[in-house]
Amino acid sequence: MSEPKTLREFAHARSGDKGNISNIGVFVYREEDYVALVKYLTAGAVAAHFRGIVHGPVLRYELPKIVGLNFVMHHALGGGVTRSLALDTHGKCLSSLLLDMQLPDNFRPF
């Protein structure tokens, strides 16, 4: 079996919003992959992935009992739902964009 090349190949995600803040919850399909998720999917990696979209801090919260991470991204929605001119004012597609993140060559999910 080949190694996963994108986050989508070993995790799924959901996103939401509140004002100008977007959050993305990322959850591994297999519990044993949680350690790799914590190691590779840092707040810095998410901030870099969304450079140009997210203009504030990215905070990461670990959720080990449900094998996931929650990212809270400030200044991420162009002013918020009622002020943004973005096509996706709620940031619902941000989870899909995050799942397209390329994983490092040395990524080992097991």
Side-chain angles (χ1 to χ4, degrees), residues 7-8 13-15 24 49-50 91-101:
L7 185 57
R8 178 180 314 280
R14 295 281 296 173
S15 54
I24 301 175
H49 187 72
F50 286 114
K92 299 297 184 192
C93 75
L94 294 180
S95 61
S96 185
L97 290 173
L98 183 58
L99 292 175
D100 287 337
M101 176 186 274

Side-chain angles (χ1 to χ4, degrees), residues 1 3 8 23 26-27 35-36 38 40 43 53 62-63 69 81 91 96 105:
M1 185 169 121
E3 296 295 333
R8 178 180 314 280
N23 79 291
V26 180
F27 308 91
V35 172
V38 170
Y40 290 102
I53 295 173
E62 296 181 11
L63 308 166
L69 300 173
V81 173
S96 185
D105 290 336

Side-chain angles (χ1 to χ4, degrees), residues 7-8 10-15 23-30 33-34 37 41 63 65-71 99:
L7 185 57
R8 178 180 314 280
F10 87 112
H12 60 100
R14 295 281 296 173
S15 54
N23 79 291
I24 301 175
V26 180
F27 308 91
V28 291
Y29 295 122
R30 300 171 354 136
D33 293 341
Y34 180 68
L37 182 73
L41 197 59
L63 308 166
K65 292 188 181 203
I66 56 173
V67 292
L69 300 173
N70 187 43
F71 294 91
L99 292 175

